Amino acid sequence: MVSELVETSKLYGRTAARIYPEWIESLCQHLVKRSYSEPHWEKKRGAVMAFEKQVLFGLPIVTQRKVNYGAIDPVVSRALFIRGALVEGQISKKYPFLQQNHSLLEEVELLEHKSRRRDLLVSDEVLEEFYAERLPGEIVSVRHFDKWWQKVRRKQPELLNFQKEMLLQKDASHVTALDYPDHWYQGELKLPLSYQFEPGKGRDGVTVHIPLPLLNQIEPAGFDWQIPGLRKELVIGWIKSLPKPQRRNLVPAPEYAGAFLGRVDKIERPLFDEMEYQFRRMTGVMIEREQWDPLAISEHLKMNFSVEDADGVPLVQGSCLYELKQQMQGQIQQALSQAVDDSLEKQGLTQWSFGDLPKSCEQKRGGFEIKAYPALVARGDSVDVKLFDSEQAQQEAMREGVRKLLLLNIPSPVKYLQQKLPNKAKLGLYFNPYGQIGTLIDDCISCGCDLLIEQQGGLVWDQQGFDALRESVRGALNDAVVGIAIEVEQILSLSNDIRKRLKGKIPLEMAFAMSDIQQQLELLIYPGFVTATGHTRLKDLNRYLRGILRRLEKLPVDPMRDRAHQLKVQAISSDYQALKNKIPPGQPVSEEISEIRWMLEELRISFFAQQLGTAYPVSEKRIRQRMEAF
């Protein structure tokens, strides 16, 4: 501001003084124009706030100042208070009625997730109207509300409580606890279930929550049936996944799905087995396992699994339980060691100096019973005691561990083998096509040790049993290994004879047979085949090799007949391989399925060397019936 203006060639001001904009707001209130924008609820302040702007003759002197909006516009402030504080729950103070109301809202939202629909819960406008009808018009903040509620709640404590019926737009009686349970029971285990209605996302559908230490105890049996509420939709989906020739026999799909579920008295078998059995009874049509198309099934119909740590934080998620077990193998072992008495685990043992070894150990943690399976584990020149997550893994490790500990505590039979083994047998062992002769001898010793363990009643779990087993094996191992080595020499001699015949120029009409024989030989003779085959099957192995030689003798006479038999064997072998491929990753092949592999060898004998005879009656039909049982 200047005291005087002088105009010459230019306009000048004299006696100038600086003006501060802050003066204007206090001195010129009668000239200032105010406006407010962005009114909003703030949980921390417990009030509705807005941004104020002041303008003097078009010049902004205050911008974006946050002010309490309650006194400026009580109507809007009351609506924002109801929506933000009461409906959305953005309020610091905990009121019992709000907690009860939010619990009811969560129940109805869960019903929507379970029933997979978004029209059960009323809109927020209905909830706002509920509160607006009960709150006085002057309530625009937490301070106002708290003062009013302190008086009203003494006479009307349930004035602001929701009722479940008012939250439902439509009837939800079909969403029952039996159809949509909150827990999944498997044996004595009780696992929480959660529901998500989020199409396109990974956890859409039903999720089973599994604590990491319990993962080893959870089996996939039953999960393929889904929860009862989704079971009919699942069966309809599987029917629609069939190729058209099979699907036309099950139309309309919903009616056949309902009839199928009505025929199932008790869920004991896998879903595929039950569907194939019941649909065959209903229509007379045989449905092959390969005809079901899992890619055609909606993702929400597949059970999800969430493996979680002690705090409930997901570690890994997926729809294949076996893949999750395989992926979390290391973490399972660590979790078991932490949850169960880890004093059982030992390292670098060369003597049975750790007392009795329990076949399983259990411990209660967080309401769950955690189970681990201790076993001896072979480690170079010693053994360890380690906890396993399954009985199958325990048995496999224990077999090798007990064998290793026995061999560490008895004299080696190598010298005795050199003295007692006939020269012809010694020479025959050098036909070993894999590795050094010492490796083959170790394989024979391991096989002999397994034989004696089996003859003495199997694996031992205490020091007294081990000591008795050690003395028994010490006295019988030398002769057992000599007997096995003689059988192995005969097997290797036959194998060497076959390999010689496979060399050289092969006529075109015999090429397929020679290739098939080569593949068969590789499946029979390989590094470690003696222990893997086992003493009881060595004689059968000898017969299978003699069967190959007999086939080679007959092949030039009638190659077309050989080709016909070969195609039959290859067809059923492909089906067997397809059966094995269905076993999820990480799941061991059961002895029942492994037995089919030897049935195929017996089938080859029946085709190519009938005069040698089979160990038991065998045919394509018998093998297929055995495979259909799985």
Side-chain angles (χ1 to χ4, degrees), residues 344-578:
L344 285 172
E345 294 191 318
K346 310 288 183 182
Q347 293 182 342
L349 300 171
T350 57
Q351 301 283 337
W352 193 296
S353 56
F354 44 86
D356 295 348
L357 192 64
K359 291 187 178 181
S360 66
C361 47
E362 304 168 356
Q363 188 166 336
K364 285 279 187 180
R365 283 290 178 92
F368 294 108
E369 188 177 77
I370 299 171
K371 183 178 291 187
Y373 303 89
L376 294 179
V377 180
R379 295 279 188 239
D381 293 333
S382 63
V383 297
D384 299 342
V385 178
K386 181 180 176 182
L387 297 175
F388 286 86
D389 61 344
S390 69
E391 193 171 1
Q392 176 74 20
Q394 175 200 42
Q395 292 293 323
E396 292 180 0
M398 191 67 176
R399 188 177 298 108
E400 296 182 8
V402 170
R403 179 206 305 151
K404 183 67 178 181
L405 195 58
L406 283 172
L407 295 177
L408 289 173
N409 287 271
I410 59 177
S412 172
V414 173
K415 290 184 178 179
Y416 185 85
L417 191 65
Q418 292 175 342
Q419 297 173 358
K420 298 296 182 179
L421 199 63
N423 291 332
K424 178 179 178 297
K426 293 179 183 178
L427 182 62
L429 291 178
Y430 282 93
F431 291 141
N432 171 32
Y434 304 104
Q436 300 178 350
I437 185 65
T439 304
L440 178 62
I441 292 175
D442 289 341
D443 195 13
C444 294
I445 294 173
S446 296
C447 181
C449 194
D450 287 348
L451 168 64
L452 296 176
I453 292 174
E454 183 179 347
Q455 289 178 348
Q456 296 302 315
L459 300 176
V460 293
W461 300 87
D462 54 62
Q463 185 169 359
Q464 182 178 358
F466 177 79
D467 291 342
L469 179 62
R470 181 189 59 201
E471 294 307 313
S472 176
V473 172
R474 182 199 301 270
L477 182 60
N478 289 342
D479 292 334
V481 173
V482 169
I484 290 173
I486 292 174
E487 290 188 14
V488 170
E489 178 273 324
Q490 296 173 358
I491 290 171
L492 292 179
S493 298
L494 291 171
S495 172
N496 185 58
D497 193 6
I498 294 170
R499 293 180 191 280
K500 289 180 179 179
R501 299 193 185 196
L502 292 178
K503 295 179 180 179
K505 189 175 181 180
I506 300 174
L508 183 60
E509 64 273 13
M510 297 169 56
F512 287 110
M514 292 298 192
S515 176
D516 180 57
I517 291 172
Q518 180 66 43
Q519 293 178 11
Q520 181 187 4
L521 190 61
E522 290 174 356
L523 291 174
L524 295 174
I525 309 298
Y526 51 88
F529 79 92
V530 183
T531 303
T533 302
H535 175 266
T536 56
R537 289 197 185 274
L538 289 179
K539 286 183 169 49
D540 291 330
L541 186 55
N542 185 304
R543 180 164 49 88
Y544 300 151
L545 295 175
R546 287 188 287 117
I548 294 177
L549 288 172
R550 181 58 181 159
R551 179 183 180 184
L552 288 170
E553 293 172 1
K554 296 164 56 178
L555 182 59
V557 178
D558 194 351
M560 297 304 296
R561 179 181 175 85
D562 185 281
R563 178 64 174 162
H565 288 322
Q566 179 186 337
L567 290 175
K568 292 179 182 179
V569 173
Q570 287 179 341
I572 198 166
S573 296
S574 298
D575 292 341
Y576 171 64
Q577 187 61 45

